[in-house]
Amino acid sequence: MAGAILPRLIAAATLLICVAAAHASSAGVRDCADCPEMVEIPAGTFVMGADAGETGRPEGPPRRVTIEKPFALGRYEVTHAQYAAFVSATGYSAPGPCRTLVGGVFANSPAHDWRDPGLGAAPKPDEPVVCVSWRDAKAYVAWLAATTGQPYRLPTEAEWEYAARAGSTTEYAWETDMEGGCAYANLYDADAAGLAFGWAPSACGDGAKFLSRVGAYKPNAFGLHDMIGNVWEWTQDCYVIPYPSIPTDGRAIEAAGACERRTVRGAAWMTRTDRARSSFRGRDPEAARFSYFGFRVARDNR
């Protein structure tokens, strides 16, 4: 019976999402000169997760989630310039080590941090900030909220997947073909194959070896860029497997006690394409800093 019900739920949820996407505002809003540009994401219902995953990393069970209220989400990942404005205003310290490429392999490097993530060149202002932990991201959104008087926060995992899918129900947000994403996402592909990570690059080329500027690729139906690729994005949620039966209203999943790992979503410049599925879930400690981790912000509507 459950197997017969789920396809009907998926079809109904897809219809609701497509209607919502059609009414999503493409106009962005900034609450200050250095603030991220925000896009309103409409309320809606979707099927979160998939009957997929790797050993120890299930992506389900699929569940019907209703985002009950519209919210705003950054059109782009938080940039190096935006994070630098925060550090300049507050004196916030986010030193290394950062896990980055050292001699061609990934290693924790005390010599690298968000100012110099060790990717061969100084970060550009319009590239996403990297080498920031979940705690660093939380400090940024707290400052942004205090500065603007607006309720900024990290997106929940459910909000993130809802926004990334933007009405799609295929494994990959752009289409069913995992090799067709180079117009939409900065992943490990032919243009970065020389890095030789030990996993296969996709056959297409996206024009970037490491980070790309935000917004360099096509947006999704909600007008959001880089939901897949460029950098993994921290979410508010504690990483829990399998998905619990509740909440199903878009709220964050929190642990009863201390949270050992937070969920990251969306893949990065060094990610193999099979991990670029909309449902794929990463999980890392709150204090971890990697040259392929960043974040985008959410904001409640008053």
Side-chain angles (χ1 to χ4, degrees):
M1 178 65 71
I5 291 174
L6 187 57
R8 293 201 295 270
L9 288 177
I10 291 174
T14 302
L15 176 60
L16 288 172
I17 293 284
C18 289
V19 171
H23 289 86
S25 173
S26 61
V29 175
R30 292 184 190 272
D31 290 316
C32 68
D34 294 323
C35 290
E37 181 182 352
M38 307 300 291
V39 175
E40 181 165 302
I41 307 300
T45 297
F46 78 115
V47 174
M48 181 176 181
D51 287 319
E54 302 171 4
T55 302
R57 295 180 183 232
E59 296 167 22
R63 58 186 186 144
R64 189 171 183 264
V65 173
T66 297
I67 306 298
E68 297 183 338
K69 297 179 180 179
F71 66 99
L73 192 65
R75 187 184 298 279
Y76 312 110
E77 293 155 336
V78 172
T79 67
H80 190 270
Q82 289 164 347
Y83 193 79
F86 152 66
V87 172
S88 177
T90 63
Y92 183 81
S93 177
C98 176
R99 186 170 178 80
T100 190
L101 287 172
V102 179
V105 298
F106 284 110
N108 287 327
S109 172
H112 294 97
D113 60 16
W114 70 274
R115 294 178 178 85
D116 176 12
L119 299 179
K124 294 181 175 61
D126 59 356
E127 290 177 348
V129 66
V130 292
C131 295
V132 287
S133 69
W134 182 87
R135 296 171 185 172
D136 299 334
K138 290 283 285 185
Y140 175 87
V141 294
W143 168 77
L144 199 59
T147 300
T148 63
Q150 298 293 333
Y152 281 94
R153 56 181 175 79
L154 291 180
T156 69
E157 188 178 5
E159 288 172 336
W160 187 96
E161 186 171 327
Y162 174 74
R165 288 186 178 278
S168 65
T169 59
T170 53
E171 282 191 300
Y172 299 92
W174 48 85
E175 56 186 72
T176 57
D177 179 8
M178 64 182 286
E179 296 289 352
C182 284
Y184 294 89
N186 175 15
L187 299 167
Y188 182 51
D189 56 35
D191 289 324
L195 295 172
F197 290 136
W199 48 88
S202 60
C204 64
D206 59 28
K209 184 177 182 180
F210 298 115
L211 296 170
S212 61
R213 65 174 178 82
V214 299
Y217 304 95
K218 291 180 180 180
N220 69 12
F222 282 154
L224 303 170
H225 294 262
D226 304 313
M227 291 298 291
I228 303 295
N230 222 6
V231 295
W232 289 98
E233 300 178 11
W234 291 107
T235 71
Q236 176 61 36
D237 294 53
C238 192
Y239 180 79
V240 174
I241 55 170
Y243 280 133
S245 59
I246 57 174
T248 58
D249 59 1
R251 287 177 295 163
I253 297 172
E254 295 291 357
C259 181
E260 295 184 1
R261 294 177 294 183
R262 297 285 173 173
T263 303
V264 293
R265 289 297 207 109
W269 55 268
M270 40 63 70
T271 305
R272 64 181 192 255
T273 316
D274 65 324
R275 287 187 169 183
R277 299 186 307 277
S278 297
S279 59
F280 188 86
R281 310 172 71 205
R283 69 281 194 272
D284 288 274
E286 293 181 357
R289 294 183 175 117
F290 302 144
S291 63
Y292 39 90
F293 274 27
F295 66 104
R296 79 177 66 218
V297 301
R299 189 196 65 202
D300 291 320
N301 292 340
R302 290 189 181 277

